[in-house]
Amino acid sequence: MDAGGGCWRTRRRGRGTCDSESPQDIANHYPDVETIHMVLDNLSTHSCRALEIRYGVRAGRRLWRCFTVHFTPVYGSWLNQAEVEITLLSR
């Protein structure tokens, strides 16, 4: 995928559940890239620990290292922040 491109996948999940298959799917889809930038909200299940619980410590940490995670701010409009980030990355 060219720089500036993107892949978006969202799922609505119940409270307290982790959609931890999505990072694995994304990492498998882009095996040759240096890093994958992922924008996430500050939900407690969006963490390395959630992946360690799902895949085991070694595999979870290996998967977490595939990503550069950008957490949205807990204040203000996260959408505005995401638009600024995308604009900077696309230049």
Side-chain angles (χ1 to χ4, degrees):
M1 175 170 281
D2 296 332
C7 171
W8 293 269
R9 181 174 178 180
T10 59
R11 288 186 186 164
R12 185 170 188 89
R13 301 294 256 183
R15 185 181 183 101
T17 60
C18 179
D19 188 13
S20 59
E21 271 72 33
S22 291
Q24 182 68 54
D25 294 343
I26 294 168
N28 288 340
H29 191 73
Y30 302 103
D32 298 326
V33 298
E34 185 176 321
T35 190
I36 300 167
H37 292 271
M38 186 181 307
V39 179
L40 300 171
D41 61 13
N42 286 288
L43 189 64
S44 63
T45 60
H46 295 157
S47 66
C48 182
R49 182 69 183 135
L51 295 177
E52 290 174 1
I53 291 168
R54 171 66 178 88
Y55 296 106
V57 173
R58 292 178 72 194
R61 287 182 184 170
R62 189 175 334 113
L63 180 58
W64 186 256
R65 284 192 301 268
C66 292
F67 297 97
T68 299
V69 180
H70 305 275
F71 289 103
T72 59
V74 294
Y75 55 87
S77 171
W78 69 266
L79 185 55
N80 290 341
Q81 296 295 322
E83 289 172 349
V84 168
E85 182 83 18
I86 291 168
T87 299
L88 291 173
L89 291 173
S90 65
R91 288 184 182 172

